[in-house]
Amino acid sequence: KSKIATLVLRASTNSVLNDLERAVDDGVHAVQMACKDGRLVYGGGCAEIECAVQLEQFADLHPGLEQYAIRAFAKSLECVARVLAENAGWEALQVLADLRAAHVTGKVDM
């Protein structure tokens, strides 16, 4: 099998065509780098949810006003996953609940 592929792009203007070409080039290079270096960070708000869960546990160790500040920051991190879910057309509250449940139970590398 050949490892070479041809992709034909069409657009209404040269400017749009150049943007499409750059987007394809960026995507191909991202896949190349992911194949060369197997280290990946999960997207879709997973890293932010894990940080929020860890911060919630950290907040339990700090009494007083510090605890409220830490919890507020943890809650602000959840906005990333919520906005991504809303923009994708998903039920944001369900996605947040599922993500949080997975991270609390330790399923952080599915």
Side-chain angles (χ1 to χ4, degrees), residues 44-60:
C46 287
E48 290 80 5
I49 293 293
E50 179 62 21
C51 288
V53 167
Q54 295 296 322
L55 282 170
E56 289 280 341
Q57 294 172 358
F58 182 70
D60 293 337

Side-chain angles (χ1 to χ4, degrees), residues 11-27:
S12 58
T13 64
N14 281 338
S15 175
V16 173
L17 185 61
N18 289 336
D19 289 344
L20 284 171
E21 186 177 350
R22 273 193 298 275
V24 169
D25 192 49
D26 290 345

Side-chain angles (χ1 to χ4, degrees), residues 48-49 52 56 74-83 96 100:
E48 290 80 5
I49 293 293
E56 289 280 341
K75 186 165 178 66
S76 73
L77 290 175
E78 292 180 358
C79 290
V80 174
R82 181 180 49 79
V83 168
L96 278 176
R100 181 170 271 286

